[in-house]
Amino acid sequence: MQENTQDGTPGSWFRVTIPCGIQYDRTWLMNSIQSHCSVPFTPVDFHFMHNGARFFVQEASTASALMDVSYKICDEESRKVCIPVFVSPSAAPYSVRDKLKPEEMEQLKLTLSKRFDVSQQALDLRRLRVDPDLLGHDIDIILNRRNCMAATLQIIKKNFPELLSLNLSSNKLYQLDGLSDIIQMAPTVKILNLSKNELKSAWELSKMQGLKLEELWLQGNPLCGTFPDRSTYVRAIRECFPKLLRLDGQELPSPVTVDVDTPCVLKPCKGSYFGCDELKSLVLQFLQQYYLIHDCGDRQGLVGAYHEQACFSLTIPFHPEDPAPSSLCKYFKDSRNMKKLTDPHLRVQLLKHTNRVIVHTLCVLPKTQHDFISFVVDTWSQTETMLCFSVSGVFKEVEGSSQDCVRAFTRTFIATPASYSSLCIVNDELFVRDASPSETQSVFSIPVPTPTSSSMHTLSQEQQDIMQASSTPPEVNL
Amino acid sequence: MAMPMDFKTYVDQACKAAEEFVNIYYETMDKRRQALTRLYLDKATLIWNGNVVTGLEALANFFDTLPSSEFQVNMLDCQPVHEQATQAQTTVLVVTSGTVKFDGNRQHYFNQSFLLTAQSTPNNTVWKIASDCFRFQDWASS
């Protein structure tokens, strides 16, 4: 055995093995060993091999202190079983032996920084070995090797401490020993992509136990073919990562929780709500007529749809990191989003008051084509004098620089039956945002009918009766 | 009966009510869920992703079974509702949008609208929800 040297050069290395170590929670095991050990130690290159757990320590004094821990820790479950800890001299662990040189570490850091997306807190390490930067500097980063993975994790810990998403796809990984330290080095990772590697068994994943993953990609690994069906596969993966929400791009059904106090299941979402069929036809007819004029006619024709003293306001979302989104610029100056707009004077100004002012504002907004089929309507309040409903859907802008841009909207109308029969808008609030990719794709799948009307229909006596009958007493004479 | 007010005063009152209310509402929803029904009128109705929930008891059950939440609001707007519709019962329309993460589920963008009605006592005005409409923006793929 080599002696420790006084001048600080590294002493000898020792290998510590806990047979059957794999059955214990790693954190509990290491904490138990540490608490029984008279000397504090730093485990290096912790990994599981077969059923055992193994790590390395330096210094003979540490080694002998650890030897004394053997059979002192008792199995949590069965107090009678004491855990052996075997210590023997060994060569330096891989991560130390083949440690990257400082200049290699520096280059690796630069290369990783190029692959880091700060807005998503995502690091893309696909095919890292053949990165032109690394090849150009003659640095061989094989992530399968302990030293390379350790170096990478070290850089992540130091430079990307809030990493959310890590992509290790296509790196020929056939074991995940090197990721045993991921909990210490990158504990914030919630999205992990291990697809297209050489992992042969789901057991490899247990080496990362404790990582709170929400999304995992494993497809393209030999291990995927070892399960008889998808549900067995999902169950096995979920044993390692109980909080997993998505596997291989597919949402997993919410896990059933036994604890009644912490529900995780949401009520299923349903489509439009109208309360009754009569109200449904009333509201749909109103919307059809409104948007016909709005899209195809002169919007001046809408002035009769609004009460003289009606109010209208428009908002777009406010994201502090992108306060003036260029895509929604045509709506920006009218946006009355109170999360951004704090001036009380402006808040009054931007609330458009009276039907003429409202229609003037509408005439200036971009010309649109609404996708009626996309509409979902919630009729959420009604009394004998008021009907309140919200419409969500998508529309296309049909002229100017933003032609063909697809927007999504939610518009809340409060209407009252006015004398001489019209359904009369008293409040109108419009929220416009950019459409999501799936909303954009599904738009206008069915052709839009051509317009025939240019002014708002008056409600028939029957429709007025419906409005009264659907509401709560007392009745009011119109 | 309230004194007739000019338009600006109505708007200012609505904005003040809306801002204060929304802060309290989402804080209560996230951190003191069991107290949430205190913000609703007895006969209030909620339409939640197309599901109807009516009355305080049903609302209490609903909020009980809803997983714990983390709301982030990035849009707020409000309007005083015209008295012709409300029969002189002072009402404010509040519209919000943002993101929500329910425990055990992925994050969703949401849109929500409330009708708040004023319950006036000699000393102050308490606003309560008469109706509530909530929907995920991606409800169809949930």
Side-chain angles (χ1 to χ4, degrees):
Chain A
M1 249 203 259
Q2 290 166 330
E3 294 294 327
N4 290 341
T5 51
Q6 289 297 340
D7 61 17
T9 55
S12 43
W13 284 93
F14 297 86
R15 186 176 62 211
V16 181
T17 308
I18 302 107
C20 306
I22 195 131
Q23 64 190 283
Y24 304 113
D25 174 79
R26 176 186 167 171
T27 316
W28 172 84
L29 182 64
M30 297 309 284
N31 285 346
S32 304
I33 296 175
Q34 184 66 84
S35 62
H36 283 82
C37 182
S38 54
V39 173
F41 66 92
T42 310
V44 177
D45 281 10
F46 182 101
H47 61 283
F48 292 107
M49 38 179 302
H50 306 297
N51 285 339
R54 176 173 286 175
F55 60 91
F56 296 83
V57 294
Q58 267 191 301
E59 310 303 311
S61 52
T62 314
S64 105
L66 282 169
M67 263 197 269
D68 288 339
V69 172
S70 189
Y71 293 108
K72 296 256 171 60
I73 305 168
C74 289
D75 192 319
E76 269 187 312
E77 305 229 344
S78 141
R79 298 249 119 217
K80 294 180 191 161
V81 174
C82 294
I83 300 172
V85 177
F86 298 140
V87 183
S88 60
S90 91
Y94 291 126
S95 67
V96 170
R97 199 192 317 174
D98 305 321
K99 203 167 173 162
L100 263 60
K101 301 189 205 102
E103 57 270 19
E104 288 176 324
M105 283 296 277
E106 188 54 40
Q107 183 54 53
L108 183 58
K109 185 183 91 170
L110 290 173
T111 307
L112 293 188
S113 301
K114 284 189 193 172
R115 286 164 168 264
F116 177 64
D117 178 345
V118 66
S119 65
Q120 308 278 344
Q121 283 291 326
L123 186 58
D124 183 349
L125 298 183
R126 282 178 291 179
R127 287 180 293 276
L128 185 62
R129 187 178 186 184
V130 297
D131 186 293
D133 262 9
L134 296 173
L135 292 180
H137 286 85
D138 221 6
I139 302 174
D140 205 4
I141 299 293
I142 300 173
L143 283 176
N144 233 345
R145 291 202 185 145
R146 194 84 201 215
N147 65 331
C148 295
M149 188 62 91
T152 305
L153 287 177
Q154 223 178 306
I155 292 172
I156 290 175
K157 182 173 182 178
K158 186 145 181 251
N159 296 282
F160 318 116
E162 281 167 58
L163 191 65
L164 190 60
S165 169
L166 181 58
N167 190 339
L168 291 168
S169 177
S170 306
N171 278 300
K172 301 205 175 129
L173 297 176
Y174 59 81
Q175 43 76 19
L176 296 180
D177 290 343
L179 286 181
S180 302
D181 291 332
I182 194 170
I183 317 228
Q184 280 82 17
M185 307 302 267
T188 51
V189 167
K190 294 237 169 334
I191 302 168
L192 183 62
N193 189 334
L194 290 168
S195 66
K196 302 197 191 129
N197 280 301
E198 304 293 335
L199 300 170
K200 294 194 173 49
S201 157
W203 175 79
E204 293 291 333
L205 299 173
S206 60
K207 294 175 183 176
M208 297 186 292
Q209 55 166 264
L211 195 63
K212 293 191 169 71
L213 282 186
E214 287 183 359
E215 180 175 323
L216 179 62
W217 295 79
L218 287 174
Q219 64 203 24
N221 279 289
L223 74 88
C224 298
T226 62
F227 295 95
D229 54 49
R230 185 173 164 76
S231 58
T232 321
Y233 169 54
V234 170
R235 219 176 310 135
I237 306 305
R238 260 196 155 142
E239 268 181 37
C240 296
F241 303 109
K243 297 217 161 171
L244 200 63
L245 297 176
R246 284 177 297 283
L247 179 59
D248 293 332
Q250 280 197 350
E251 298 271 333
L252 297 180
S254 303
V256 178
T257 48
V258 179
D259 186 352
V260 176
D261 290 335
T262 55
C264 285
V265 180
L266 291 174
K267 248 193 156 106
C269 297
K270 300 192 183 139
S272 295
Y273 176 76
F274 292 100
C276 66
D277 283 340
E278 292 86 357
L279 271 182
K280 176 175 176 178
S281 58
L282 189 65
V283 169
L284 287 181
Q285 187 175 54
F286 167 84
L287 289 172
Q288 233 163 7
Q289 291 165 354
Y290 184 93
Y291 281 106
L292 223 46
I293 301 172
H294 186 279
D295 286 352
C296 310
D298 180 357
R299 286 179 190 165
Q300 270 303 125
L302 289 173
V303 75
Y306 288 88
H307 189 279
E308 240 189 351
Q309 298 291 311
C311 286
F312 167 79
S313 58
L314 159 70
T315 52
I316 60 176
F318 173 57
H319 299 293
E321 66 271 10
D322 183 19
S326 53
S327 58
L328 294 170
C329 56
K330 297 211 173 77
Y331 305 95
F332 185 73
K333 73 166 178 39
D334 283 315
S335 174
R336 194 173 172 258
N337 186 346
M338 285 164 55
K339 277 285 169 187
K340 179 180 178 248
L341 189 73
T342 49
D343 180 348
H345 179 69
L346 272 177
R347 283 177 174 184
V348 175
Q349 261 201 331
L350 285 175
L351 181 58
K352 310 294 177 182
H353 188 218
T354 77
N355 53 355
R356 297 194 189 284
V357 172
I358 293 173
V359 170
H360 176 79
T361 309
L362 294 178
C363 286
V364 168
L365 290 175
K367 273 193 92 57
T368 56
Q369 193 184 18
H370 284 72
D371 183 8
F372 206 82
I373 311 295
S374 73
F375 285 7
V376 63
V377 182
D378 286 316
T379 311
W380 52 283
S381 182
Q382 79 244 32
T383 66
E384 66 276 14
T385 53
M386 176 182 78
L387 187 61
C388 184
F389 51 98
S390 296
V391 188
S392 299
V394 292
F395 65 86
K396 250 202 285 207
E397 289 182 17
V398 294
E399 70 177 9
S401 52
S402 55
Q403 185 163 22
D404 293 339
C405 279
V406 181
R407 315 281 185 211
F409 75 96
T410 299
R411 193 160 191 164
T412 300
F413 290 101
I414 301 181
T416 187
S419 49
Y420 304 122
S421 71
S422 332
L423 188 57
C424 175
I425 306 169
V426 291
N427 291 86
D428 177 0
E429 203 281 343
L430 172 61
F431 169 63
V432 180
R433 58 179 173 88
D434 281 316
S436 69
S438 60
E439 283 168 330
T440 308
Q441 269 178 340
S442 62
V443 78
F444 299 113
S445 45
I446 299 167
V448 176
T450 48
T452 50
S453 158
S454 65
S455 68
M456 289 299 287
H457 248 20
T458 54
L459 281 186
S460 69
Q461 183 61 46
E462 194 196 340
Q463 286 170 323
Q464 290 176 66
D465 290 347
I466 289 164
M467 188 120 170
Q468 264 198 284
S470 313
S471 58
T472 50
E475 303 233 324
V476 170
N477 268 341
L478 283 179
Chain B
M1 285 295 284
M3 294 271 289
M5 294 191 282
D6 68 345
F7 183 68
K8 182 179 185 308
T9 314
Y10 272 120
V11 177
D12 285 343
Q13 181 193 60
C15 288
K16 183 163 181 286
E19 255 180 330
E20 277 176 23
F21 185 84
V22 161
N23 285 337
I24 295 171
Y25 180 84
Y26 290 107
E27 169 113 17
T28 309
M29 167 77 88
D30 285 351
K31 303 198 175 130
R32 303 191 319 134
R33 179 74 65 77
Q34 68 284 6
L36 193 59
T37 49
R38 289 187 221 159
L39 301 176
Y40 287 80
L41 287 178
D42 277 356
K43 295 219 170 71
T45 308
L46 161 66
I47 314 284
W48 195 91
N49 281 310
N51 293 285
V52 190
V53 186
T54 312
L56 271 188
E57 199 181 317
L59 283 167
N61 285 338
F62 177 79
F63 289 128
D64 230 9
T65 54
L66 200 62
S68 67
S69 56
E70 254 182 71
F71 273 88
Q72 189 130 0
V73 179
N74 65 31
M75 186 282 277
L76 169 63
D77 193 8
C78 67
Q79 297 179 5
V81 180
H82 196 281
E83 60 179 4
Q84 185 152 342
T86 66
Q87 293 175 285
Q89 162 78 277
T90 309
T91 306
V92 175
L93 169 67
V94 179
V95 182
T96 62
S97 176
T99 58
V100 61
K101 180 146 191 338
F102 289 107
D103 195 25
N105 291 269
R106 65 184 163 87
Q107 194 180 67
H108 290 271
Y109 284 100
F110 73 91
N111 288 100
Q112 188 159 18
S113 318
F114 304 94
L115 280 180
L116 299 185
T117 59
Q119 321 263 276
S120 289
T121 65
N123 291 329
N124 67 340
T125 305
V126 173
W127 295 87
K128 292 219 178 187
I129 303 170
S131 300
D132 179 355
C133 179
F134 178 94
R135 212 177 248 284
F136 292 148
Q137 285 177 8
D138 59 351
W139 65 273
S141 53
S142 298

